[in-house]
Amino acid sequence: MRCDCCPACCAAHAQGQCPPDAPVYNAPIALYPGVTLTFLHYIDMDQAALPALPADALALHFCLTGRAGFALPEGGTPVYFGDGCTWDTPVNDIYVLHTRLKEQYPQLPLLLMGYGSIALVMVTLILTAFSDIVSIWYCFKKLHMRIKFGKFDFSLLRDMAGFSFFIFLNEIINQINWTVDTTLLGIISGTAATAIYGVGSQINQYYMALSTSISGVFTPQINRIVAHGEGDEQLTRLFTRVGRIQFMLLALVLTGFIFVGSPFVRAWGGEEYAQAYPIALLLIGPVTVPLIQNIGIEIQRAKNMHQFRSKVYFCMAIGNAIVSVPLGMALGGIGCALGTAISMIVGNGFIMNWYYQTHIGLDMRYFWKNILKIVPAMLPPIALGILAVSLHSFEGYSGVLTFAAPYAALYAVCLYAFAMDDSEKNMVRDVMRKIRR
């Protein structure tokens, strides 16, 4: 339900073309058709089928549809909130924090108190509606926006539709690519193998969440660089700087999971889910490459060159399905995960890096040269990890923590001393100063 804006809109804001009295066709207007569609969809339901549905199912359906209706304005909000000429850093931090909190943290206490799915969805619906109201108030009262209904810019609408279509297509294909394994496993091996694969896939989702939240922060800066024509060299340096930070974080999790991932999975899901460990490794290993390059997605969109990625992901989904069928029949869940890994290595590891180098204008040799400079600093903690797991068996959550704490400390010290440049060290010092306060 997200609506991404076209490069023309982003470029106009990046260039500072946002006078207070400028007419806008902005996202809060989408609130009204969104809510209206919610009720129309409810009315349009088969009335003959309504009595046959449980009351809880009807309430859940209504809440989810309402959540979708209120979510329509959210896509355009970051265009104004992320723009340097209208949105200061503290308020942006509050907005980003709110979007994270409203989707995740209210769920846990409600679950612990024994509430069901309706309560969880209702809380999310209320928080989403509150978020939209605050956004509308800020747009009108603080940014002094006014909405003009006449002289609609149909050329802008055409650009936005063409731009957003491939983003929508990419999201659909991405969902298919990540769910094709579970579908095939359900057909080939049954529900038990699907459940084991689901645990490995869930670990992969948590791993991906460590990186994906970072790239959106740089969207306004990327659009500003593209709009001002500052050159691909500037984009390459930003791409590399963010990629190094992401790689340092993800490599810590990946190497730590290699050492104590097996006891963690057994403690989390039980002995019967032990096979989820190699499945998770096959998923999180190859996905590390696109994760440290996910700011490149924003660069593609800023240049309106993201169509190729959708086509690559479409081919990846087909290739994944073709390869996973024989591998799944031979190796079960591990075979399906291996098929996904192969498709990611070919699609994200080779094809997309070639596209970045030859068409987007990013210097991928420079990028990988700076990424690989980090690896020597990782060798001491990796050597310690190999020695530790060979001499001692770490079992349960306590064993995992016993290994993870000193390993992470040594990892951080080695990277700070031997891998980080001056700007990265300054970033660490700033974070430490804020923690001490």
Side-chain angles (χ1 to χ4, degrees):
M1 300 303 295
R2 293 295 302 270
C3 176
D4 293 270
C5 293
C6 66
C9 295
C10 299
H13 284 267
Q15 292 171 352
Q17 299 172 357
C18 48
D21 60 343
V24 294
Y25 310 92
N26 75 327
I29 286 297
L31 175 64
Y32 306 107
V35 177
T36 303
L37 287 172
T38 300
F39 290 98
L40 289 178
H41 177 64
Y42 181 77
I43 295 172
D44 188 56
M45 290 179 65
D46 186 359
Q47 297 299 316
L50 289 179
L53 294 174
D56 290 349
L58 285 174
L60 186 61
H61 170 81
F62 186 78
C63 291
L64 287 171
T65 312
R67 166 67 179 88
F70 278 107
L72 285 175
E74 290 185 352
T77 304
V79 174
Y80 305 107
F81 289 2
D83 184 5
C85 65
T86 57
W87 188 252
D88 54 27
T89 300
V91 183
N92 181 62
D93 292 340
I94 294 173
Y95 176 77
V96 172
L97 178 63
H98 166 69
T99 56
R100 298 290 182 268
L101 291 179
K102 77 175 183 182
E103 297 292 346
Q104 301 174 17
Y105 295 101
Q107 317 276 352
L108 181 59
L110 289 173
L111 287 173
L112 294 176
M113 294 169 63
Y115 288 96
S117 57
I118 295 179
L120 299 180
V121 175
M122 181 63 73
V123 169
T124 305
L125 173 62
I126 293 172
L127 291 174
T128 303
F130 176 76
S131 172
D132 288 338
I133 293 171
V134 172
S135 298
I136 293 173
W137 172 83
Y138 190 88
C139 287
F140 283 110
K141 296 297 183 181
K142 297 297 183 179
L143 304 184
H144 306 291
M145 293 181 177
R146 63 185 181 89
I147 299 171
K148 187 175 182 180
F149 292 95
K151 298 180 180 178
F152 191 81
D153 192 345
F154 286 97
S155 62
L156 179 62
L157 177 63
R158 183 182 64 252
D159 291 341
M160 292 178 64
F163 179 84
S164 301
F165 170 75
F166 283 95
I167 296 177
F168 172 75
L169 181 64
N170 183 78
E171 293 299 322
I172 295 297
I173 295 172
N174 203 31
Q175 289 296 320
I176 295 173
N177 197 35
W178 284 116
T179 57
V180 66
D181 288 348
T182 55
T183 304
L184 291 174
L185 274 177
I187 298 172
I188 297 172
S189 303
T191 56
T194 304
I196 294 173
Y197 188 94
V199 173
S201 179
Q202 190 173 7
I203 294 173
N204 179 54
Q205 294 298 321
Y206 292 145
Y207 183 74
M208 292 171 62
L210 292 174
S211 173
T212 52
S213 60
I214 299 176
S215 59
V217 178
F218 295 91
T219 302
Q221 183 178 355
I222 292 170
N223 286 300
R224 191 156 45 243
I225 292 173
V226 174
H228 290 171
E230 296 180 16
D232 293 330
E233 183 179 353
Q234 188 78 3
L235 289 173
T236 297
R237 294 190 179 278
L238 177 63
F239 182 72
T240 304
R241 180 164 61 90
V242 177
R244 280 175 56 89
I245 297 172
Q246 292 173 319
F247 181 75
M248 292 177 191
L249 175 62
L250 293 176
L252 170 62
V253 178
L254 177 59
T255 54
F257 188 78
I258 291 173
F259 291 126
V260 292
S262 181
F264 172 77
V265 170
R266 294 198 304 270
W268 183 26
E271 290 293 335
E272 62 273 19
Y273 287 92
Q275 200 178 37
Y277 168 68
I279 291 174
L281 274 182
L282 285 170
L283 294 177
I284 67 177
V287 84
T288 303
V289 173
L291 287 181
I292 66 175
Q293 297 177 350
N294 57 17
I295 195 175
I297 300 173
E298 304 299 333
I299 296 175
Q300 292 177 55
R301 293 176 180 177
K303 292 189 171 187
N304 199 11
M305 298 176 67
H306 58 287
Q307 298 84 353
F308 180 80
R309 182 172 180 268
S310 299
K311 299 173 184 176
V312 170
Y313 270 56
F314 177 74
C315 296
M316 285 174 57
I318 296 176
N320 185 15
I322 294 174
V323 174
S324 295
V325 170
L327 289 176
M329 295 177 67
L331 303 173
I334 294 178
C336 288
L338 180 59
T340 300
I342 293 172
S343 68
M344 285 191 292
I345 292 172
V346 174
N348 290 311
F350 292 104
I351 298 178
M352 287 308 302
N353 274 261
W354 167 82
Y355 184 68
Y356 283 136
Q357 177 73 36
T358 60
H359 291 76
I360 301 299
L362 299 176
D363 189 348
M364 299 308 295
R365 296 183 184 88
Y366 175 85
F367 172 82
W368 283 112
K369 180 180 178 181
N370 281 271
I371 293 295
L372 293 177
K373 286 180 180 179
I374 303 173
V375 175
M378 296 166 50
L379 297 180
I382 290 176
L384 176 66
I386 295 174
L387 181 64
V389 296
S390 62
L391 296 177
H392 182 74
S393 178
F394 298 92
E395 296 296 335
Y397 290 126
S398 59
V400 172
L401 290 175
T402 301
F403 174 88
Y407 179 78
L410 179 61
Y411 181 93
V413 170
C414 289
L415 258 65
Y416 185 87
F418 305 114
M420 293 185 181
D421 57 27
D422 291 338
S423 64
E424 292 163 348
K425 290 180 179 179
N426 290 333
M427 187 184 304
V428 173
R429 287 193 285 264
D430 290 340
V431 172
M432 296 303 297
R433 279 194 292 266
K434 292 180 180 178
I435 293 175
R436 291 169 184 168
R437 293 176 185 173

